[in-house]
Amino acid sequence: MIVDTTKGMFINGDWVGSESDSWIEVLNPATREKITEIPSGSDIETKKAIQAADQAFTEWAEKTARERSTYLYKAYNLMLERKEKLASLLTEEQGKPLNEARGEIEFAASFLLWYAEEANRVYGEMIPASKKNKRLWVVPKPVGVVAAITPWNFPAAMVTRKVAPALAAGCTVVLKPAEQTPLSAIEIVKIFEEVGLPKGVLNLVAGDPEKIGNEIMESSTVRLVTFTGSTRVGKLLMEGAAKTVKKLSLELGGHAPLLVFEDADLDLAVDQAIASKYRNCGQTCICTNRIYVHSNVKEQFVNKLEQKVKALQIGAGSEETVDVGPLINEEGLAKVKDQVQDATSKGAEVKTGGKQWEGPGGYFYEPTILANVTDEMKIMSQETFGPVVPVQVFNHEEEAVAAANNTDYGLAAFLFTKDLDKAITVMEKLEYGIIGINDVFPGTAEAPFGGIKQSGLGKEGGHEGIREFLEMKYVSVAVADKK
Ligand code: NAP
């Protein structure tokens, strides 16, 4: 541990404790043992953090883009220097295998680098006017104070994917990380402190989600809430934003279908399906939630999948050889058990897995494949967030596309085929914000990530990601001497 855990919140450049002397226990999900406890903040600390961000805003926004980007470059380098320490902390509080945690730290750092560069490319526009005496400009301006609310499944990358573009755009930030995984966020804020970010520019408040959330939503100082988490909380924030007409950027839940066509490279499809389904123990928003496989290759595909899933090693993420770690908590485990129980009670066949695994005492569930699934089963419509995959069969392309689109979610969809025409036509028909063609790893700092339908609003990453943090100021100038 690098932080003094009695002071876990960062407000106006100081590490502070909780005014109410309440605490959050941070547990290791692989053992259910307490790692540490940190102060739990509420409306009081949130108000102070918002004030600090407000006071720091003008000076930060007036810095040149190059000045702002310098802090991000330095933070990028420091984060990579600390990769090993940050990765093991991430594994301890979140559970994912160490190699995945290392990958997440690199991914998190890549947003610092990308937005260090993008800070310098925030261009405005000159519009050709319809009158000779007019000059029309569009000038991008930072929106102001931003609240960034992050989930536990990517405790580092979801922080930098929001904080980096916000700072690059000239916004100041109040960060609220998830209660289960505040330690990685604290370490990232420490990095910004160490690179000399001016006080008040980045603040961190962890604690009571409703009190912190309400304070943020009631505040007319906060001009944008950037949120990653469940669709349920996203909808609450949309209601709250109406009070002060805030901007919202929402990265919400998903229910990704993975389509395997008859002509697919089956070995590739199997390997990628496993990578997509079981990484982070199935707890990513773009994890495959349902597989649809063509009837002519179903036997082959399921047999190969079963062989490889049976070989996955389950255990504490801190062990280098482990492939699948624990779920985050009891609630996550209960949801997985409920979906499997519901499916089997309605006739699903467990090909492998299908039960809890005790291991070192954490929230483990065996990597599971379900066959003979029907649309009535909860797992076909509810986000699973666990290591279970249902496999359904299709006969025609239209049937597969209709099944894939039959959801309120619209985050990511994957398809496997060697036929370029089919890849393009199916991609065009899929109602999703992100499509992976023979590729289940679309997330990267330089591309826009985000869902449609009830999976969210706005994009993170790419040049689109910084736009969320900007307002377009329109300027009309009348030039006196021209008619
Ligand atoms: P969650 O329960 O919605 O929590 C997300 C964040 O919101 C946490 O910091 C949480 O705080 C906070 N929160 C909870 N209630 C709140 C309220 N009333 N007001 C303000 N903030 C509140 O989601 P989660 O379980 O942490 O994360 C899993 C979900 O995130 C999944 O649905 C997943 O698909 C989605 N996700 C989406 C993306 C994407 O890019 N689209 C990426 C990753 C995850 P506490 O932790 O203190 O409760």
Side-chain angles (χ1 to χ4, degrees), residues 178-193:
E179 276 170 284
Q180 290 96 334
T181 58
L183 304 179
S184 299
I186 289 173
E187 291 306 315
I188 292 171
V189 172
K190 279 204 76 182
I191 286 175
F192 277 106
E193 183 190 16

Side-chain angles (χ1 to χ4, degrees), residues 71-85:
Y71 294 99
L72 291 167
Y73 280 119
K74 286 182 183 163
Y76 164 74
N77 286 322
L78 200 46
M79 191 166 203
L80 287 185
E81 259 174 46
R82 297 201 177 148
K83 183 170 107 177
E84 271 311 305
K85 271 190 179 165

Side-chain angles (χ1 to χ4, degrees), residues 149-154 158 161 176-180 207 209-210 213 227-233 236-237 251-254 285 383 385 411 449 455:
I149 304 176
T150 54
W152 48 263
N153 64 341
F154 285 91
M158 295 304 100
R161 200 162 79 171
K176 185 233 159 297
E179 276 170 284
Q180 290 96 334
E210 281 175 19
F227 169 79
T228 298
S230 61
T231 297
R232 181 188 71 79
V233 175
L236 283 177
L237 298 177
E251 297 293 338
L252 308 178
C285 52
E383 194 178 27
F385 247 54
L411 186 55
F449 188 100
S455 288

Side-chain angles (χ1 to χ4, degrees), residues 293-330:
V293 57
H294 192 278
S295 53
N296 289 350
V297 291
K298 181 231 167 190
E299 277 314 302
Q300 250 184 303
F301 176 82
V302 173
N303 286 342
K304 281 174 188 273
L305 187 68
E306 193 181 328
Q307 293 307 314
K308 289 205 165 173
V309 171
K310 278 182 172 155
L312 292 175
Q313 194 185 327
I314 182 170
S318 52
E319 290 171 35
E320 291 282 1
T321 51
V322 158
D323 301 302
V324 182
L327 289 145
I328 189 70
N329 56 21
E330 195 66 60

